[in-house]
Amino acid sequence: MIELSHTLAINSANHPALTLSQIWNGLILRITEQTRFTLGLDSVDITDKNHDESPTVYRRVLHFGAHQVRDSVFVVPQQSIEFVTEETPTAPSGRLLIQVNDDLSLTFSYTTQFPDPTNPEEEQLLGIIKAAYQAADADMIRIIREQALSVRH
């Protein structure tokens, strides 16, 4: 099983500061327009959206060519978003929890049902996967920043 947690700052001296609302709008965009954030993703169908409960739940089908991934996204407004991916015959289940912290940083916590590495090659692959997750999260923040600044002007 892969477990990874890391925190990335949103506001720094090198960039214009974003508000909680701007960050949150960007996170919602990741749910509704996931193709902007995921390389190789062709389209996303939102098959159900339940506003009647807390948290709000989106059910989606993500299309990567002929491969489909189903997930559920649980949203606690301005606090957290949790993506839970269903297991398929070709892919393990997974979970990503994104929490918005008081200092407007984001904490990303991953759990994926990959088997534990049993040799150096698998350990190296695990390191590559973790680095890819971290790079994708940094890229997501860049996209959220670009979106927020384009809306501002």
Side-chain angles (χ1 to χ4, degrees):
M1 175 182 340
I2 293 177
E3 292 184 321
L4 169 67
S5 183
H6 64 106
T7 300
L8 296 175
I10 301 290
N11 295 324
S12 68
N14 300 334
H15 300 286
L18 298 184
T19 66
L20 176 58
S21 178
Q22 289 171 313
I23 295 165
W24 191 253
N25 289 338
L27 290 171
I28 295 301
L29 194 65
R30 180 167 176 183
I31 298 168
T32 59
E33 296 184 29
Q34 183 82 32
T35 55
R36 290 177 151 197
F37 297 88
T38 304
L39 187 63
L41 179 61
D42 298 318
S43 64
V44 176
D45 297 324
I46 297 176
T47 59
D48 187 36
K49 182 178 176 185
N50 184 341
H51 287 289
D52 299 334
E53 299 176 13
S54 182
T56 299
V57 180
Y58 293 79
R59 306 238 187 260
R60 308 181 311 166
V61 179
L62 293 77
H63 301 273
F64 296 88
H67 183 70
Q68 293 184 357
V69 174
R70 295 184 179 279
D71 73 1
S72 298
V73 185
F74 303 89
V75 178
V76 178
Q78 300 190 352
Q79 293 180 23
S80 67
I81 296 177
E82 182 178 22
F83 299 84
V84 179
T85 306
E86 296 177 14
E87 182 176 6
T88 68
T90 59
S93 64
R95 175 183 165 272
L96 165 59
L97 176 63
I98 303 173
Q99 293 177 291
V100 180
N101 302 312
D102 290 340
D103 65 355
L104 300 184
S105 63
L106 299 178
T107 298
F108 300 83
S109 300
Y110 290 90
T111 305
T112 304
Q113 297 302 318
F114 287 114
D116 290 328
T118 59
N119 60 53
E121 292 82 17
E122 289 176 356
E123 188 69 40
Q124 183 178 16
L125 178 60
L126 178 62
I128 291 169
I129 291 169
K130 287 181 177 182
Y133 284 167
Q134 291 174 329
D137 297 337
D139 198 44
M140 181 196 77
I141 290 172
R142 178 190 58 78
I143 293 167
I144 289 172
R145 181 177 307 290
E146 288 172 359
Q147 175 68 22
L149 295 176
S150 72
V151 170
R152 186 185 296 177
H153 294 101

